[in-house]
């Protein structure tokens, strides 16, 4: 039966392919030329394109046909001057040009001979009306090439004015350095996926995603999707007439058809094919060859380093049958373990540097996400899940936990957020009663302590009983409990030991007890406070550990842009040389610079490790924490006397790292930031 079904599907696909071939063999349609330029300005009303009522000869300035514009050729009465041709494809041609002010731009237009031979003029009319939507997308996403405010028609040729990107294509990158690592490839796929997601939200398809249409900026800010030449609108579930243009290997079968259904799953195929090339160095077998019987080699047959998860995701997304693929970009990225932000507020139109996929942090009003987030979203859906979010203060732990809770809500889970700073910790029984009642309050359950809390039983037993006999049975769906500021209980040994041991018990019970499987836990705590627990009672050595890491340079530049600052690579490196990629320390620097125009970066860095600097409160808190651990003073001093990594006792390294003071390098460690090195060198010696 399986074989018969396979042949049936292939037979249908072959019929579709034959129809495509008949179309390509059909007579071509000619068109009249157009004359008057069309100007579409963003933010202003515009009318759909209408062909002019009169015609005139194309612009032949300098006696040159517009088949190819040579250096010095002027467009729009000298507004733009061609410098050189950048590239040429089957349909379009791209030029590097300069404006009157000397700014470099890119002009993309259609090949003149193609315009005269194929039915493309109507496509360009449609695109002129849809280009404003694309321009709006590009203003909000740094990974989509920016279109200028003006879209013009030069003679009979429609032209797109786009930003010029200093960099190289992904094709060139792979050719130069070989196949990419999964981490690097997924970074680029996430970035391009965000651009495609935004395009699709405007009801448009790109339809030409491939490594040669993806630029990687020289400044390290990530990948950018370019070449919107055959982008077009789509109506879900409706057959439409589409421009039959495609790149073999990257185009799914439906794109070969003149009339049919296309949707986001069309770009999903191309994005998966792009990932295939990045990880294998080989272009995929074309869809028309596959339908005739050619086999697409699984990616991990060409590169054994590719993980099973990525291998499966690529093959699923490149299914010949459109309905069997992921139906959207986010769905495909989820298969890869990538989660996209839920809105465009993560982007800034003035800075194209929001790209490294990083763990959640909130800076000002902007949310920054990393690859680890997607893993948390999937883990919390597992029965009895326990996620531990651990990081120094001000790294974004609470914000990540809130994002996980929001995701759980979207899956119809109940959620409870409890900040332990709001609970009394002086007495175990009072603490557990308060905890139990607050948990029920968040779920709309009344206080039933009088019926379930026995004076004859130990507090921890009462709490277990209250959950098993009342709270959990009252729920019809799983519940995610987020416990924030768990380190609040650390100074109270009895409360900490019993309560954290209880969490460990619940996690273990979930392995065999259906009731406890419905409780998912998120434990959030800072590393600055340390507590010793019996290894069999601690929840800190089970479940999924998430440690928030620092920002990279591109994220730092993006953050600066959000404060209206233009941060050069040199200045960014100097700042990171002092404070690394710590979200809060960077935010404080940019906030200060944006509000105090008289302060320079040089002055900020000069005073940073002093008591008059902007970080004095943060540094004093760290000093106080260190003083609370006098046994760590001498080990930490050893690190300050040399610029090399030093090997300390493993427990000393662990404690200093937990305090946020050092960074481990293998078995050795160094001060976490130069800011800490300079400040503590002045205070401890």
């Amino acid at each position: 039966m399986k074989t018969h079904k396979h042949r049936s599907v292939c037979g249908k696909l072959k019929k579709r392919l034959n129809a495509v071939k008949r179309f390509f063999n059909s007579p071509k349609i000619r068109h009249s030329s157009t004359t008057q330029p069309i100007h579409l300005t963003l933010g202003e009303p515009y009318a759909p394109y209408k062909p002019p009522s009169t015609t005139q000869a194309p612009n032949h300035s300098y006696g040159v046909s517009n088949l190819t514009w040579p250096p010095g050729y002027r467009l729009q009465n000298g507004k733009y001057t061609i410098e050189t041709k950048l590239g040429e494809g089957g349909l379009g041609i791209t030029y590097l040009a300069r404006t009157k002010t000397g700014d470099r731009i890119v002009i993309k237009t259609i090949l003149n001979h193609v315009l005269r031979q194929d039915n493309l003029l109507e496509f360009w009319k449609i695109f002129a009306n849809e280009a404003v939507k694309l321009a709006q997308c590009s203003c909000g996403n740094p990974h989509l090439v920016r279109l200028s405010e003006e879209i013009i028609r030069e003679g009979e040729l429609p032209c797109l004015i786009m930003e010029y990107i200093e960099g190289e294509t992904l094709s060139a990158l792979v050719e130069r350095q070989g196949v990419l690592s999964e981490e690097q490839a997924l970074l680029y796929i996430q970035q391009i996926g965000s651009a495609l997601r935004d395009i699709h939200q405007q009801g448009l398809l790109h339809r030409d995603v491939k490594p040669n249409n993806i630029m990687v900026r020289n400044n390290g800010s990530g990948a950018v999707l370019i070449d919107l030449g055959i982008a077009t609108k789509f109506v879900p579930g409706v057959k439409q007439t589409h421009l039959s243009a495609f790149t073999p290997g990257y185009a799914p079968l439906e794109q070969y058809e003149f009339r049919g259904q296309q949707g986001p799953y069309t770009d999903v195929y191309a994005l998966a094919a792009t990932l295939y090339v990045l990880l294998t160095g080989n272009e995929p077998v074309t869809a028309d060859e596959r339908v005739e019987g050619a086999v697409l080699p699984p990616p991990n047959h060409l590169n054994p380093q590719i993980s099973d998860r990525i291998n499966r995701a690529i093959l699923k997304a490149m299914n010949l049958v459109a309905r069997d693929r992921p139906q959207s970009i986010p769905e495909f990225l989820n298969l890869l373990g990538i989660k996209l932000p839920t809105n465009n507020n993560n982007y800034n139109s003035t800075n194209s540097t929001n790209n490294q996929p990083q763990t959640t942090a909130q800076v000002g009003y902007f949310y920054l996400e990393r690859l680890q987030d997607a893993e948390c979203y999937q883990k919390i859906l597992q029965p009895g899940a326990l996620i531990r979010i651990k990081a120094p203060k001000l790294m974004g732990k609470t914000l990540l936990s809130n994002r996980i809770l929001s995701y759980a809500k979207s899956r119809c889970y109940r959620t409870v957020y409890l900040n332990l700073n709001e609970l009394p910790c002086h007495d175990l029984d009072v603490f557990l009663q308060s905890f139990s009642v607050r948990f029920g309050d968040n779920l709309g359950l009344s206080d039933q302590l009088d019926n379930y809390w026995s004076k004859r039983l130990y507090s921890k037993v009462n709490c277990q009983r209250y959950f098993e006999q009342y709270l959990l049975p009252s729920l019809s769906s799983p519940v995610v409990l987020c416990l924030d500021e768990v380190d609040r209980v650390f100074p109270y040994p009895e409360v900490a030991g019993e309560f954290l041991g209880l969490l460990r018990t619940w996690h273990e019970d979930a392995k065999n007890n259906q009731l406890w499987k419905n409780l998912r836990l998120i434990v959030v705590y800072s590393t600055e406070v340390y507590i010793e627990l019996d290894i069999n009672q601690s929840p800190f050595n089970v479940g999924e550990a998430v440690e928030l890491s620092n920002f990279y340079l591109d994220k730092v530049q993006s953050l600066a842009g959000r404060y209206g600052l233009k941060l050069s690579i040199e200045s960014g490196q100097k700042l990171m040389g002092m404070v690394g990629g710590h979200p809060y320390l960077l935010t404080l620097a940019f906030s200060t610079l944006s509000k105090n125009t008289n302060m320079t970066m040089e002055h900020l860095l000069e005073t940073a490790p002093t008591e008059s600097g902007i970080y004095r409160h943060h540094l004093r808190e760290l000093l106080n924490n260190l003083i609370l651990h006098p046994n760590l003073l001498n080990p930490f001093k050893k690190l300050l006397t040399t610029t090399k990594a030093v090997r300390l006792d493993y427990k000393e390294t662990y404690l200093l790292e937990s305090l946020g003071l050092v960074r481990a390098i293998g078995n050795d460690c160094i001060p976490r930031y130069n800011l800490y090195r300079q400040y503590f060198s002045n205070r401890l010696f």
Side-chain angles (χ1 to χ4, degrees):
M1 292 299 293
K2 289 183 179 180
T3 302
H4 177 72
K5 181 178 180 181
H6 173 73
R7 287 178 178 173
S8 175
V9 170
C10 286
K12 293 180 180 178
L13 295 178
K14 287 181 180 179
K15 289 181 180 179
R16 293 163 62 187
L17 182 61
N18 290 333
V20 172
K21 291 178 178 177
R22 287 195 298 271
F23 166 74
F24 282 122
N25 293 327
S26 63
K28 306 302 179 183
I29 303 175
R30 291 185 174 274
H31 323 278
S32 61
S33 61
T34 60
T35 58
Q36 300 174 358
I38 298 172
H39 301 279
L40 301 180
T41 303
L42 296 184
E44 297 179 2
Y46 67 97
Y49 170 73
K50 295 180 180 180
S53 57
T54 61
T55 61
Q56 68 180 36
N59 178 357
H60 293 303
S61 301
Y62 301 99
V64 179
S65 164
N66 57 0
L67 176 61
T68 301
W69 293 327
Y73 183 81
R74 292 175 298 156
L75 290 77
Q76 300 294 291
N77 298 319
K79 185 174 183 179
Y80 307 109
T81 302
I82 299 296
E83 285 199 342
T84 186
K85 184 176 77 171
L86 292 176
E88 180 178 330
L91 297 175
I93 186 168
T94 306
Y95 299 93
L96 176 63
R98 284 192 185 273
T99 65
K100 284 184 176 180
T101 59
D103 295 327
R104 302 178 99 183
I105 60 165
V106 171
I107 297 178
K108 173 70 181 287
T109 189
I110 198 167
L111 286 169
N112 186 56
H113 71 280
V114 175
L115 177 65
R116 293 189 177 279
Q117 293 179 16
D118 293 297
N119 188 16
L120 300 179
L121 181 58
E122 194 63 30
F123 158 75
W124 276 101
K125 295 175 187 176
I126 295 171
F127 180 72
N129 292 324
E130 299 296 337
V132 169
K133 291 184 179 180
L134 284 168
Q136 290 171 341
C137 289
S138 68
C139 286
N141 193 314
H143 305 298
L144 179 61
V145 62
R146 289 198 299 273
L147 276 70
S148 74
E149 295 181 344
E150 193 174 52
I151 300 165
I152 65 172
R153 184 176 291 274
E154 179 69 14
E156 64 180 6
L157 298 177
C159 302
L160 295 178
I161 310 299
M162 298 177 285
E163 69 169 317
Y164 174 66
I165 299 173
E166 292 277 1
E168 63 180 336
T169 65
L170 275 180
S171 292
L173 178 64
V174 173
E175 184 176 349
R176 177 172 57 82
Q177 74 172 46
V179 299
L180 308 185
S181 66
E182 274 194 10
E183 181 180 8
Q184 187 179 12
L186 291 178
L187 167 60
Y188 294 141
I189 293 300
Q190 183 201 37
Q191 294 167 352
I192 301 306
S194 74
L196 289 172
R197 185 272 313 272
D198 289 355
I199 291 174
H200 295 165
Q201 287 178 346
Q202 292 288 348
L204 302 170
L205 301 176
H206 186 279
R207 304 205 314 142
D208 201 19
V209 180
K210 57 186 177 183
N212 211 41
N213 280 343
I214 298 171
M215 295 289 295
V216 180
R217 295 183 188 271
N218 285 340
N219 64 7
S221 62
V224 182
L225 182 62
I226 64 172
D227 200 342
L228 306 172
I230 63 172
T232 188
K233 63 182 178 181
F234 71 96
V235 180
V238 176
K239 287 187 177 182
Q240 297 173 271
T241 299
H242 296 280
L243 172 70
S244 293
F246 55 85
T247 301
Y250 301 94
L253 200 64
E254 68 266 17
Q255 204 167 334
Y256 285 67
E257 297 182 321
F258 174 66
R259 183 168 179 80
Q261 291 184 20
Q262 295 185 22
Y265 48 82
T266 303
D267 285 338
V268 165
Y269 185 103
L271 187 62
T274 297
L275 180 55
Y276 186 104
V277 174
L278 300 185
L279 295 176
T280 69
N282 294 303
E283 289 196 347
V285 177
T286 64
D288 60 331
E289 291 174 333
R290 292 175 63 193
V291 79
E292 293 289 350
V295 176
L296 176 68
N300 61 7
H301 286 191
L302 302 174
N303 179 2
Q305 300 301 315
I306 298 174
S307 65
D308 290 340
R309 178 178 188 172
I310 303 304
N311 187 71
R312 289 193 302 269
I314 292 174
L315 292 177
K316 184 173 180 61
M318 293 187 68
N319 198 304
L320 286 176
V321 181
R323 65 175 177 272
D324 292 336
R325 290 179 221 139
Q327 297 298 289
S328 68
I329 292 295
E331 186 180 343
F332 171 49
L333 296 184
N334 280 338
L335 293 179
L336 297 172
I338 300 172
K339 180 71 175 180
L340 287 177
T342 56
N343 57 61
N344 290 343
N345 292 333
N346 306 280
Y347 308 123
N348 184 290
S349 61
T350 61
N351 193 297
S352 300
T353 52
N354 181 24
N355 39 90
Q356 290 284 10
Q358 302 179 7
T359 312
T360 306
Q362 177 83 14
V363 184
Y365 297 100
F366 300 94
Y367 177 82
L368 308 175
E369 187 167 88
R370 302 175 185 171
L371 276 175
Q372 287 174 311
D373 292 23
E375 297 178 3
C376 292
Y377 300 149
Q378 298 306 312
K379 289 289 183 182
I380 204 63
L381 302 182
Q382 298 178 6
L386 170 60
I387 296 176
R388 295 178 285 114
I389 304 176
K390 168 187 175 183
K393 292 181 179 179
L394 306 171
M395 289 287 286
K397 300 182 298 296
T398 298
L399 293 155
L400 173 56
S401 64
N402 288 340
R403 295 286 288 188
I404 300 173
L405 290 176
S406 295
Y407 180 79
K409 284 183 180 179
S410 72
R411 303 300 294 264
C412 299
Y413 286 19
R414 304 293 298 276
T415 60
V416 175
Y417 172 86
L418 292 179
N419 188 317
L420 296 196
N421 279 327
E422 301 173 359
L423 300 182
C425 297
H426 64 281
D427 178 85
L428 177 63
D429 195 66
V430 173
F431 172 83
L432 291 179
Q433 286 189 31
S434 300
F435 164 70
S436 300
V437 171
R438 289 291 305 279
F439 180 88
D441 287 344
N442 277 265
L443 296 171
L445 301 175
S446 61
D447 177 2
Q448 296 290 326
L449 287 180
D450 290 341
N451 297 327
Y452 294 93
W453 211 274
S454 172
K455 294 181 179 180
R456 295 188 296 272
L457 298 176
Y458 186 57
S459 299
K460 193 163 75 170
V461 176
N462 273 325
C463 186
Q464 178 95 1
R465 182 172 176 237
Y466 193 71
F467 270 75
E468 286 183 337
Q469 296 183 15
Y470 173 54
L471 295 176
L472 295 181
S474 301
L475 303 175
S476 58
S477 61
V479 59
V480 179
L481 168 60
C482 176
L483 298 171
D484 202 359
E485 302 287 351
V486 169
D487 38 285
R488 156 79 166 133
V489 302
F490 289 179
Y492 304 91
E494 182 188 14
V495 173
E498 297 294 341
F499 177 62
L500 298 176
L502 190 62
L503 298 181
R504 169 69 176 257
T505 298
W506 292 351
H507 176 66
E508 296 293 340
D509 287 347
K511 296 177 181 178
N512 303 306
N513 188 317
Q514 183 60 46
L515 195 63
W516 287 104
K517 286 182 179 180
N518 284 331
L519 179 65
R520 322 298 167 78
L521 296 171
I522 304 173
V523 179
V524 184
Y525 60 105
S526 297
T527 59
E528 282 84 355
V529 183
Y530 174 76
I531 182 174
E532 291 188 1
L533 292 174
D534 185 307
I535 191 171
N536 296 315
Q537 293 182 333
S538 172
F540 301 141
N541 58 352
V542 294
E544 184 73 15
V546 178
E547 296 193 18
L548 306 191
S549 57
N550 294 318
F551 290 164
Y552 295 108
L553 177 59
D554 57 331
K555 188 69 69 174
V556 175
Q557 288 181 303
S558 178
L559 179 57
R562 287 164 168 75
Y563 283 89
L565 303 173
K566 187 175 182 180
L567 186 70
S568 68
I569 292 178
E570 181 181 2
S571 295
Q573 290 173 337
K574 287 182 179 179
L575 179 59
M576 293 184 70
M578 178 65 71
V579 302
H582 194 294
Y584 169 72
L585 301 181
L586 293 167
T587 299
L588 185 55
F590 296 142
S591 177
T592 302
L593 291 171
S594 65
K595 294 176 182 177
N596 187 351
T597 57
N598 294 324
M599 177 175 284
T600 64
M601 178 68 77
E602 289 72 21
H603 179 70
L604 186 150
L605 293 176
E606 181 181 354
T607 59
T610 70
E611 290 294 339
S612 63
I614 63 173
Y615 300 121
R616 58 188 178 276
H617 299 297
H618 174 71
L619 293 169
R620 289 171 186 168
E621 185 174 0
L622 288 175
L623 178 61
N624 290 337
N625 285 336
L626 182 60
I627 292 174
L628 292 175
H629 298 79
N631 57 317
L632 298 179
L633 283 173
N634 287 331
F636 188 58
K637 285 182 179 180
K638 290 181 183 179
L639 306 181
L640 303 177
T641 59
T642 177
T643 58
K644 297 180 180 179
V646 177
R647 181 161 302 185
L648 302 176
D649 177 84
Y650 76 94
K651 187 172 182 179
E652 293 171 345
T653 299
Y654 173 78
L655 292 174
L656 287 170
E657 188 179 26
S658 296
L659 290 173
L661 291 170
V662 307
R663 177 167 61 91
I665 303 177
N667 294 322
D668 303 330
C669 60
I670 60 174
R672 185 164 184 168
Y673 306 121
N674 195 35
L675 174 70
Y676 296 172
R677 179 188 293 278
Q678 293 186 34
Y679 177 79
F680 285 100
S681 292
N682 293 329
R683 297 303 302 265
L684 298 181
F685 291 96

